[in-house]
Coordinates of all heavy atoms in Angstrom, one line a residue:
M1467 N -65.9 31.8 11.6 CA -66.1 30.3 11.7 C -67.6 30.1 11.6 O -68.4 30.7 12.3 CB -65.5 29.8 13.0 CG -65.5 28.3 13.1 SD -64.9 27.6 14.6 CE -63.2 27.8 14.4
S1468 N -68.0 29.2 10.7 CA -69.4 28.9 10.6 C -70.0 28.2 11.8 O -69.2 27.6 12.6 CB -69.7 28.1 9.3 OG -69.3 26.7 9.6
Y1469 N -71.3 28.1 12.0 CA -71.9 27.4 13.1 C -71.6 25.9 13.1 O -71.5 25.3 14.1 CB -73.3 27.7 13.3 CG -74.2 27.6 12.1 CD1 -74.7 26.4 11.7 CD2 -74.6 28.7 11.4 CE1 -75.5 26.3 10.6 CE2 -75.5 28.6 10.3 CZ -75.9 27.4 9.9 OH -76.7 27.3 8.8
F1470 N -71.4 25.3 11.9 CA -71.1 23.9 11.8 C -69.7 23.7 12.3 O -69.4 22.7 13.0 CB -71.4 23.3 10.5 CG -72.9 23.2 10.2 CD1 -73.4 23.7 9.0 CD2 -73.7 22.5 11.0 CE1 -74.7 23.6 8.7 CE2 -75.1 22.4 10.8 CZ -75.6 22.9 9.6
Q1471 N -68.8 24.5 11.9 CA -67.4 24.4 12.3 C -67.3 24.5 13.8 O -66.5 23.8 14.5 CB -66.5 25.4 11.7 CG -66.3 25.1 10.2 CD -65.5 26.2 9.5 OE1 -65.6 27.4 9.9 NE2 -64.8 25.9 8.4
T1472 N -68.1 25.4 14.4 CA -68.0 25.6 15.8 C -68.6 24.4 16.6 O -68.0 24.0 17.6 CB -68.9 26.8 16.2 OG1 -68.4 28.0 15.5 CG2 -68.9 27.1 17.7
I1473 N -69.7 23.8 16.1 CA -70.2 22.6 16.8 C -69.3 21.4 16.6 O -69.1 20.6 17.6 CB -71.6 22.3 16.3 CG1 -72.4 21.3 17.2 CG2 -71.7 21.7 14.9 CD1 -73.1 22.0 18.3
Y1474 N -68.6 21.3 15.5 CA -67.7 20.2 15.3 C -66.5 20.3 16.2 O -66.0 19.4 16.8 CB -67.2 20.1 13.9 CG -68.2 19.8 12.8 CD1 -68.1 20.3 11.6 CD2 -69.3 19.0 13.1 CE1 -69.1 20.1 10.6 CE2 -70.3 18.8 12.2 CZ -70.1 19.3 10.9 OH -71.1 19.0 10.0
A1475 N -66.0 21.5 16.4 CA -64.9 21.8 17.3 C -65.2 21.6 18.8 O -64.2 21.5 19.6 CB -64.3 23.2 17.0
A1476 N -66.4 21.6 19.1 CA -66.8 21.6 20.5 C -66.6 20.2 21.1 O -66.8 20.0 22.3 CB -68.3 22.0 20.7
E1477 N -66.4 19.2 20.3 CA -66.2 17.8 20.8 C -67.4 17.3 21.6 O -67.2 16.6 22.6 CB -64.9 17.7 21.6 CG -63.7 18.0 20.8 CD -62.4 17.8 21.5 OE1 -62.4 17.1 22.5 OE2 -61.4 18.4 21.1
L1478 N -68.6 17.6 21.1 CA -69.8 17.1 21.7 C -70.1 15.7 21.2 O -69.6 15.3 20.1 CB -71.0 18.0 21.3 CG -71.0 19.4 21.9 CD1 -72.0 20.3 21.2 CD2 -71.3 19.3 23.4
P1479 N -70.9 14.9 21.9 CA -71.3 13.6 21.4 C -72.0 13.7 20.1 O -72.7 14.7 19.8 CB -72.2 13.0 22.5 CG -72.0 13.9 23.7 CD -71.5 15.2 23.2
H1480 N -72.0 12.6 19.3 CA -72.6 12.6 18.0 C -74.1 12.9 18.1 O -74.6 13.7 17.3 CB -72.5 11.2 17.4 CG -73.2 11.0 16.1 ND1 -72.8 11.6 15.0 CD2 -74.3 10.3 15.9 CE1 -73.7 11.2 14.0 NE2 -74.6 10.5 14.5
R1481 N -74.8 12.4 19.2 CA -76.2 12.7 19.3 C -76.5 14.2 19.4 O -77.4 14.7 18.9 CB -76.7 12.0 20.6 CG -76.1 12.5 21.9 CD -76.7 11.9 23.1 NE -76.0 12.4 24.3 CZ -75.2 11.8 25.1 NH1 -75.0 10.5 24.9 NH2 -74.7 12.4 26.1
A1482 N -75.6 15.0 20.1 CA -75.8 16.4 20.2 C -75.6 17.1 18.9 O -76.3 18.0 18.6 CB -74.8 17.0 21.3
V1483 N -74.6 16.7 18.1 CA -74.4 17.3 16.8 C -75.5 17.1 15.9 O -76.0 18.0 15.2 CB -73.1 16.7 16.2 CG1 -72.9 17.3 14.8 CG2 -71.9 17.1 17.1
V1484 N -76.1 15.9 15.9 CA -77.2 15.5 15.0 C -78.4 16.4 15.4 O -79.1 16.9 14.6 CB -77.5 14.0 15.1 CG1 -78.8 13.7 14.4 CG2 -76.4 13.3 14.4
V1485 N -78.7 16.5 16.7 CA -79.9 17.2 17.2 C -79.7 18.7 16.9 O -80.6 19.4 16.5 CB -80.2 17.0 18.7 CG1 -81.2 17.9 19.2 CG2 -80.6 15.5 18.9
Y1486 N -78.5 19.2 17.1 CA -78.2 20.6 16.8 C -78.5 20.9 15.3 O -79.1 21.9 14.9 CB -76.7 20.9 17.1 CG -76.3 22.3 16.7 CD1 -76.6 23.4 17.6 CD2 -75.7 22.6 15.5 CE1 -76.2 24.7 17.3 CE2 -75.3 23.9 15.2 CZ -75.6 24.9 16.1 OH -75.2 26.2 15.8
M1487 N -78.0 20.0 14.4 CA -78.2 20.2 13.0 C -79.7 20.2 12.6 O -80.2 21.0 11.8 CB -77.4 19.2 12.2 CG -75.9 19.4 12.3 SD -75.0 18.1 11.5 CE -74.5 19.0 10.1
Y1488 N -80.4 19.3 13.3 CA -81.9 19.2 13.1 C -82.5 20.5 13.5 O -83.3 21.1 12.7 CB -82.4 18.0 13.9 CG -83.9 17.9 13.9 CD1 -84.6 17.2 12.9 CD2 -84.7 18.6 14.8 CE1 -85.9 17.1 12.9 CE2 -86.1 18.5 14.8 CZ -86.7 17.7 13.8 OH -88.1 17.6 13.8
L1489 N -82.2 21.0 14.7 CA -82.8 22.2 15.1 C -82.4 23.4 14.3 O -83.2 24.3 14.0 CB -82.4 22.5 16.6 CG -83.0 21.5 17.6 CD1 -82.4 21.8 19.0 CD2 -84.5 21.5 17.7
R1490 N -81.2 23.5 13.9 CA -80.7 24.6 13.0 C -81.5 24.5 11.7 O -81.8 25.6 11.2 CB -79.2 24.4 12.8 CG -78.6 25.4 11.8 CD -78.7 26.8 12.2 NE -77.8 27.1 13.3 CZ -77.6 28.4 13.7 NH1 -78.2 29.4 13.2 NH2 -76.8 28.6 14.7
D1491 N -81.7 23.4 11.1 CA -82.4 23.2 9.9 C -83.9 23.7 10.0 O -84.4 24.2 9.0 CB -82.4 21.8 9.4 CG -83.0 21.6 8.1 OD1 -82.6 22.3 7.1 OD2 -83.9 20.7 8.0
R1492 N -84.5 23.6 11.1 CA -85.9 23.9 11.3 C -86.1 25.3 12.0 O -87.2 25.7 12.2 CB -86.6 22.8 12.2 CG -86.9 21.7 11.2 CD -86.8 20.3 11.9 NE -87.2 19.3 11.0 CZ -86.3 18.7 10.2 NH1 -85.1 19.2 10.1 NH2 -86.6 17.7 9.4
S1493 N -85.0 26.0 12.3 CA -85.1 27.3 12.9 C -85.4 28.4 11.9 O -85.0 28.3 10.8 CB -83.9 27.6 13.8 OG -82.8 27.7 13.0
N1494 N -86.0 29.5 12.4 CA -86.2 30.6 11.6 C -84.9 31.5 11.5 O -83.9 31.1 12.1 CB -87.4 31.4 12.0 CG -87.3 32.0 13.4 OD1 -86.2 32.1 14.0 ND2 -88.4 32.4 14.0
W1495 N -85.0 32.6 10.9 CA -83.8 33.5 10.8 C -83.3 34.0 12.1 O -82.1 34.4 12.2 CB -84.1 34.7 9.8 CG -85.2 35.6 10.3 CD1 -86.5 35.4 10.1 CD2 -85.0 36.8 11.1 NE1 -87.2 36.4 10.7 CE2 -86.3 37.3 11.3 CE3 -83.9 37.5 11.6 CZ2 -86.5 38.5 12.0 CZ3 -84.1 38.6 12.3 CH2 -85.4 39.1 12.5
E1496 N -84.1 33.9 13.2 CA -83.6 34.3 14.5 C -83.1 33.2 15.3 O -82.6 33.3 16.4 CB -84.8 35.0 15.3 CG -85.3 36.2 14.7 CD -86.5 36.8 15.5 OE1 -87.4 36.0 15.8 OE2 -86.5 38.0 15.7
G1497 N -83.2 32.0 14.7 CA -82.7 30.8 15.4 C -83.7 30.1 16.3 O -83.4 29.2 17.0
A1498 N -85.0 30.5 16.2 CA -86.0 30.0 17.0 C -86.8 28.8 16.3 O -87.0 28.9 15.1 CB -87.0 31.0 17.3
C1499 N -87.1 27.8 17.1 CA -87.9 26.7 16.6 C -88.6 26.0 17.8 O -88.2 26.2 18.9 CB -87.1 25.7 15.8 SG -85.7 24.9 16.7
W1500 N -89.6 25.2 17.6 CA -90.3 24.6 18.7 C -90.8 23.2 18.5 O -92.0 22.9 18.8 CB -91.5 25.5 19.1 CG -92.3 26.1 17.9 CD1 -93.3 25.5 17.3 CD2 -92.0 27.3 17.2 NE1 -93.7 26.3 16.2 CE2 -92.9 27.4 16.1 CE3 -91.0 28.2 17.3 CZ2 -92.9 28.4 15.2 CZ3 -91.0 29.3 16.4 CH2 -91.9 29.4 15.4
P1501 N -90.0 22.3 17.9 CA -90.5 20.9 17.8 C -90.5 20.2 19.1 O -89.7 20.6 20.0 CB -89.4 20.3 16.9 CG -88.2 21.1 17.2 CD -88.6 22.5 17.4
S1502 N -91.4 19.3 19.3 CA -91.4 18.5 20.5 C -90.3 17.5 20.5 O -89.8 17.2 19.5 CB -92.8 17.8 20.6 OG -92.9 16.8 19.7
I1503 N -90.0 17.0 21.7 CA -89.0 16.0 21.9 C -89.4 14.8 21.1 O -88.6 14.1 20.4 CB -88.7 15.7 23.3 CG1 -88.0 16.9 24.0 CG2 -87.8 14.5 23.5 CD1 -87.8 16.9 25.4
G1504 N -90.7 14.4 21.1 CA -91.2 13.3 20.4 C -91.0 13.4 18.9 O -90.7 12.5 18.2
T1505 N -91.3 14.6 18.4 CA -91.1 14.9 17.0 C -89.6 14.7 16.6 O -89.3 14.1 15.6 CB -91.6 16.3 16.6 OG1 -93.0 16.3 16.9 CG2 -91.3 16.6 15.1
I1506 N -88.7 15.3 17.4 CA -87.3 15.2 17.1 C -86.9 13.7 17.1 O -86.2 13.3 16.2 CB -86.5 16.0 18.1 CG1 -86.8 17.5 18.0 CG2 -85.0 15.8 17.9 CD1 -86.2 18.3 19.2
A1507 N -87.3 13.0 18.1 CA -87.0 11.6 18.2 C -87.5 10.8 17.0 O -86.7 10.0 16.5 CB -87.5 11.0 19.5
R1508 N -88.7 11.0 16.7 CA -89.3 10.3 15.6 C -88.6 10.6 14.2 O -88.2 9.7 13.5 CB -90.8 10.6 15.4 CG -91.5 9.8 14.4 CD -93.0 10.1 14.3 NE -93.2 11.5 13.9 CZ -93.6 12.5 14.7 NH1 -93.9 12.2 15.9 NH2 -93.8 13.7 14.2
E1509 N -88.3 11.8 14.0 CA -87.7 12.2 12.7 C -86.3 11.8 12.6 O -85.8 11.5 11.5 CB -87.9 13.7 12.4 CG -89.4 14.0 12.2 CD -89.7 15.4 11.7 OE1 -88.7 16.2 11.6 OE2 -90.8 15.7 11.4
L1510 N -85.6 11.8 13.7 CA -84.1 11.4 13.7 C -83.9 9.9 14.0 O -82.8 9.4 14.0 CB -83.3 12.2 14.7 CG -83.2 13.7 14.4 CD1 -82.4 14.4 15.5 CD2 -82.5 13.9 13.0
R1511 N -85.1 9.2 14.3 CA -85.0 7.8 14.7 C -84.1 7.6 15.9 O -83.3 6.7 15.9 CB -84.6 7.0 13.5 CG -85.6 7.0 12.3 CD -85.2 6.1 11.2 NE -86.2 6.1 10.2 CZ -86.0 6.8 9.0 NH1 -84.9 7.5 8.8 NH2 -87.0 6.8 8.1
L1512 N -84.3 8.4 16.9 CA -83.6 8.3 18.2 C -84.6 8.1 19.3 O -85.8 8.4 19.1 CB -82.8 9.6 18.5 CG -81.7 10.0 17.5 CD1 -81.2 11.4 17.8 CD2 -80.6 9.0 17.5
S1513 N -84.2 7.6 20.4 CA -85.1 7.5 21.5 C -85.3 8.9 22.1 O -84.5 9.8 22.0 CB -84.6 6.5 22.6 OG -83.5 7.1 23.2
R1514 N -86.4 9.0 22.8 CA -86.7 10.3 23.5 C -85.6 10.6 24.5 O -85.2 11.8 24.7 CB -88.1 10.3 24.2 CG -89.3 10.2 23.2 CD -90.6 10.0 24.0 NE -90.9 11.1 24.9 CZ -91.5 12.2 24.6 NH1 -92.0 12.4 23.4 NH2 -91.7 13.2 25.5
S1515 N -85.1 9.6 25.2 CA -84.1 9.9 26.2 C -82.8 10.3 25.6 O -82.1 11.1 26.1 CB -83.9 8.6 27.1 OG -83.5 7.5 26.4
T1516 N -82.5 9.8 24.4 CA -81.3 10.2 23.7 C -81.4 11.6 23.3 O -80.5 12.4 23.4 CB -81.0 9.3 22.5 OG1 -80.8 7.9 23.0 CG2 -79.8 9.7 21.7
V1517 N -82.6 12.0 22.8 CA -82.8 13.4 22.4 C -82.7 14.3 23.6 O -82.0 15.4 23.6 CB -84.2 13.6 21.7 CG1 -84.5 15.0 21.5 CG2 -84.2 12.8 20.4
Q1518 N -83.2 13.9 24.7 CA -83.1 14.7 26.0 C -81.7 14.9 26.4 O -81.3 16.0 26.8 CB -84.0 14.1 27.1 CG -84.1 15.0 28.3 CD -84.8 16.3 28.0 OE1 -85.9 16.3 27.5 NE2 -84.2 17.4 28.3
R1519 N -80.9 13.8 26.3 CA -79.5 13.9 26.7 C -78.8 14.8 25.7 O -77.9 15.6 26.1 CB -78.8 12.5 26.7 CG -79.2 11.7 27.9 CD -78.3 10.4 28.0 NE -78.4 9.6 26.9 CZ -79.3 8.6 26.7 NH1 -80.2 8.4 27.6 NH2 -79.2 7.8 25.6
A1520 N -79.1 14.7 24.4 CA -78.5 15.6 23.5 C -78.8 17.1 23.7 O -77.9 18.0 23.7 CB -78.9 15.2 22.0
L1521 N -80.1 17.4 24.0 CA -80.5 18.7 24.4 C -79.7 19.2 25.6 O -79.2 20.4 25.6 CB -82.0 18.8 24.6 CG -82.8 18.6 23.3 CD1 -84.3 18.4 23.7 CD2 -82.6 19.7 22.3
N1522 N -79.6 18.4 26.6 CA -78.8 18.8 27.8 C -77.4 19.1 27.5 O -76.8 20.0 28.0 CB -78.9 17.7 28.9 CG -80.3 17.7 29.5 OD1 -81.0 18.7 29.6 ND2 -80.7 16.5 30.0
D1523 N -76.8 18.2 26.6 CA -75.4 18.5 26.1 C -75.3 19.9 25.5 O -74.3 20.6 25.8 CB -74.9 17.5 25.1 CG -74.8 16.1 25.7 OD1 -74.6 15.9 26.9 OD2 -74.9 15.1 24.9
L1524 N -76.2 20.2 24.6 CA -76.2 21.5 23.9 C -76.5 22.7 24.9 O -75.8 23.7 24.7 CB -77.3 21.5 22.8 CG -77.0 20.5 21.7 CD1 -78.2 20.4 20.8 CD2 -75.8 21.0 20.9
Y1525 N -77.3 22.5 25.9 CA -77.6 23.6 26.9 C -76.3 23.9 27.6 O -75.8 25.0 27.8 CB -78.6 23.2 27.9 CG -80.0 22.9 27.4 CD1 -80.7 21.8 28.0 CD2 -80.6 23.6 26.4 CE1 -81.9 21.5 27.6 CE2 -81.8 23.2 26.0 CZ -82.5 22.2 26.6 OH -83.8 21.8 26.1
R1526 N -75.6 22.8 28.1 CA -74.4 22.9 28.9 C -73.3 23.6 28.1 O -72.5 24.3 28.6 CB -74.0 21.6 29.5 CG -74.8 21.1 30.6 CD -74.1 20.0 31.4 NE -74.0 18.8 30.5 CZ -74.8 17.8 30.3 NH1 -76.0 17.9 30.9 NH2 -74.6 16.8 29.5
A1527 N -73.2 23.3 26.8 CA -72.2 23.8 26.0 C -72.5 25.2 25.4 O -71.6 25.8 24.8 CB -71.9 22.9 24.8
G1528 N -73.7 25.7 25.7 CA -74.0 27.1 25.3 C -74.5 27.2 23.9 O -74.6 28.3 23.3
F1529 N -74.9 26.1 23.2 CA -75.3 26.1 21.8 C -76.9 26.2 21.7 O -77.4 26.4 20.6 CB -74.9 24.9 21.1 CG -73.4 24.8 20.7 CD1 -72.6 24.1 21.5 CD2 -73.0 25.5 19.7 CE1 -71.2 24.1 21.2 CE2 -71.6 25.5 19.4 CZ -70.7 24.8 20.2
L1530 N -77.5 26.2 22.8 CA -79.0 26.2 22.8 C -79.6 26.8 24.0 O -79.1 26.6 25.1 CB -79.4 24.7 22.7 CG -80.9 24.4 22.5 CD1 -81.4 24.8 21.2 CD2 -81.1 22.9 22.7
E1531 N -80.7 27.6 23.9 CA -81.5 28.1 25.0 C -82.8 27.5 24.9 O -83.3 27.2 23.8 CB -81.6 29.6 24.9 CG -80.3 30.3 25.2 CD -80.4 31.8 25.2 OE1 -81.5 32.3 24.9 OE2 -79.4 32.5 25.4
K1532 N -83.5 27.3 26.0 CA -84.8 26.7 26.0 C -85.7 27.6 26.9 O -85.4 28.1 27.9 CB -84.8 25.3 26.6 CG -86.2 24.7 26.7 CD -86.1 23.3 27.3 CE -86.1 23.4 28.8 NZ -86.3 22.1 29.5
Q1533 N -86.9 27.8 26.3 CA -87.9 28.6 27.1 C -89.2 27.7 27.1 O -89.7 27.3 26.1 CB -88.2 29.9 26.4 CG -89.3 30.7 27.0 CD -89.6 32.0 26.3 OE1 -88.9 32.3 25.3 NE2 -90.5 32.8 26.7
N1534 N -89.7 27.5 28.3 CA -91.0 26.7 28.5 C -92.1 27.6 28.0 O -92.1 28.8 28.2 CB -91.2 26.4 29.9 CG -90.3 25.3 30.4 OD1 -89.8 24.5 29.7 ND2 -89.9 25.4 31.7
R1535 N -93.0 27.0 27.2 CA -94.2 27.8 26.7 C -95.4 27.1 27.3 O -95.5 26.0 27.6 CB -94.2 27.7 25.2 CG -93.0 28.3 24.5 CD -93.1 28.4 23.0 NE -93.8 27.3 22.4 CZ -94.4 27.4 21.2 NH1 -94.5 28.6 20.6 NH2 -95.0 26.4 20.7
R1536 N -96.4 28.0 27.5 CA -97.6 27.5 28.2 C -98.9 27.9 27.4 O -98.8 28.9 26.7 CB -97.8 28.1 29.6 CG -96.6 27.7 30.5 CD -96.9 28.0 31.9 NE -95.9 27.5 32.8 CZ -95.9 26.3 33.3 NH1 -96.9 25.4 33.1 NH2 -94.9 25.9 34.1
R1537 N -99.9 27.1 27.5 CA -101.2 27.4 26.8 C -101.9 28.4 27.7 O -101.5 28.6 28.9 CB -102.0 26.1 26.7 CG -101.3 25.1 25.8 CD -102.2 23.8 25.7 NE -101.7 22.8 24.8 CZ -100.8 21.8 25.2 NH1 -100.5 21.7 26.5 NH2 -100.4 21.0 24.3
P1538 N -103.0 29.0 27.2 CA -103.8 29.9 28.0 C -104.3 29.3 29.3 O -104.4 30.1 30.3 CB -104.9 30.3 27.0 CG -104.4 30.1 25.7 CD -103.4 28.9 25.8
N1539 N -104.5 28.0 29.3 CA -105.0 27.4 30.6 C -103.9 27.1 31.6 O -104.1 26.5 32.6 CB -105.8 26.1 30.3 CG -105.0 25.0 29.7 OD1 -103.8 25.1 29.6 ND2 -105.6 23.9 29.4
G1540 N -102.6 27.4 31.2 CA -101.5 27.2 32.1 C -100.7 25.9 31.9 O -99.6 25.7 32.4
S1541 N -101.3 25.0 31.1 CA -100.5 23.7 30.9 C -99.4 23.9 29.9 O -99.4 24.9 29.1 CB -101.5 22.6 30.3 OG -102.0 23.0 29.0
L1542 N -98.4 23.0 30.0 CA -97.2 23.2 29.2 C -97.5 22.7 27.7 O -98.2 21.8 27.5 CB -96.1 22.3 29.7 CG -95.4 22.8 31.0 CD1 -94.4 21.8 31.5 CD2 -94.7 24.1 30.8
T1543 N -96.8 23.4 26.8 CA -96.9 23.0 25.4 C -95.4 22.8 25.0 O -94.5 22.7 25.8 CB -97.6 24.1 24.5 OG1 -97.7 23.6 23.2 CG2 -96.9 25.4 24.6
S1544 N -95.1 22.8 23.7 CA -93.7 22.6 23.3 C -92.8 23.7 23.7 O -93.2 24.8 23.9 CB -93.7 22.4 21.7 OG -94.1 23.6 21.1
N1545 N -91.5 23.4 23.9 CA -90.6 24.4 24.3 C -90.2 25.2 23.1 O -90.2 24.7 21.9 CB -89.3 23.6 24.8 CG -89.6 22.9 26.1 OD1 -90.2 23.4 27.0 ND2 -89.1 21.6 26.1
L1546 N -89.7 26.4 23.4 CA -89.2 27.3 22.3 C -87.7 27.1 22.4 O -87.1 27.4 23.5 CB -89.6 28.7 22.5 CG -88.9 29.8 21.7 CD1 -89.2 29.5 20.2 CD2 -89.3 31.2 22.0
F1547 N -87.0 26.6 21.4 CA -85.6 26.5 21.4 C -85.0 27.6 20.6 O -85.5 28.0 19.5 CB -85.2 25.1 20.7 CG -85.7 23.9 21.4 CD1 -86.7 23.2 20.9 CD2 -85.1 23.6 22.6 CE1 -87.1 22.0 21.6 CE2 -85.5 22.4 23.3 CZ -86.5 21.7 22.8
T1548 N -83.9 28.2 21.1 CA -83.1 29.2 20.3 C -81.8 28.6 20.1 O -81.0 28.4 21.0 CB -83.1 30.5 21.0 OG1 -84.4 30.9 21.3 CG2 -82.4 31.5 20.2
V1549 N -81.4 28.4 18.8 CA -80.1 27.8 18.5 C -79.1 29.0 18.3 O -79.4 29.9 17.7 CB -80.3 27.0 17.1 CG1 -78.9 26.4 16.8 CG2 -81.4 26.0 17.2
K1550 N -78.0 28.8 18.9 CA -76.9 29.8 18.8 C -75.8 29.4 17.8 O -75.6 28.3 17.6 CB -76.3 30.1 20.1 CG -77.4 30.6 21.1 CD -76.8 31.0 22.4 CE -77.8 31.6 23.2 NZ -77.3 32.5 24.2

């Protein structure tokens, strides 16, 4: 079963499917990508809160892993997303 068939069968909200497809499209061959929530929201024309809810839907369903990334000074930078 392809990854799109799997996400469709999961009965996730539309927002989660759209964000998943966006992340899948921008991920490398290992499934890794690191767009900011603001970038995702702007490019998909969604609110930041809608993107955050979609990401949470995907985490809970097991379609996405998130790793916080930090700059050398310790401040947060964009998250590393791994799409499954």
Side-chain angles (χ1 to χ4, degrees):
M1467 189 181 281
S1468 77
Y1469 49 80
F1470 287 126
Q1471 290 172 330
T1472 304
I1473 196 86
Y1474 297 148
E1477 298 184 19
L1478 290 166
H1480 175 73
R1481 65 180 179 243
V1483 174
V1484 170
V1485 170
Y1486 178 84
M1487 293 173 103
Y1488 175 89
L1489 294 173
R1490 175 61 76 171
D1491 183 55
R1492 281 148 180 79
S1493 64
N1494 64 15
W1495 62 275
E1496 295 177 318
C1499 59
W1500 43 92
S1502 69
I1503 291 174
T1505 298
I1506 298 168
R1508 184 180 63 255
E1509 291 188 357
L1510 293 178
R1511 295 185 179 102
L1512 298 171
S1513 70
R1514 291 174 61 90
S1515 59
T1516 297
V1517 171
Q1518 189 62 55
R1519 285 192 302 273
L1521 292 171
N1522 288 332
D1523 294 336
L1524 293 167
Y1525 302 140
R1526 284 193 300 271
F1529 286 98
L1530 186 66
E1531 289 181 2
K1532 177 181 85 167
Q1533 178 183 358
N1534 292 328
R1535 298 184 329 148
R1536 297 193 176 271
R1537 294 182 180 93
N1539 68 3
S1541 64
L1542 289 174
T1543 184
S1544 62
N1545 296 314
L1546 172 62
F1547 297 108
T1548 304
V1549 182
K1550 296 186 176 207

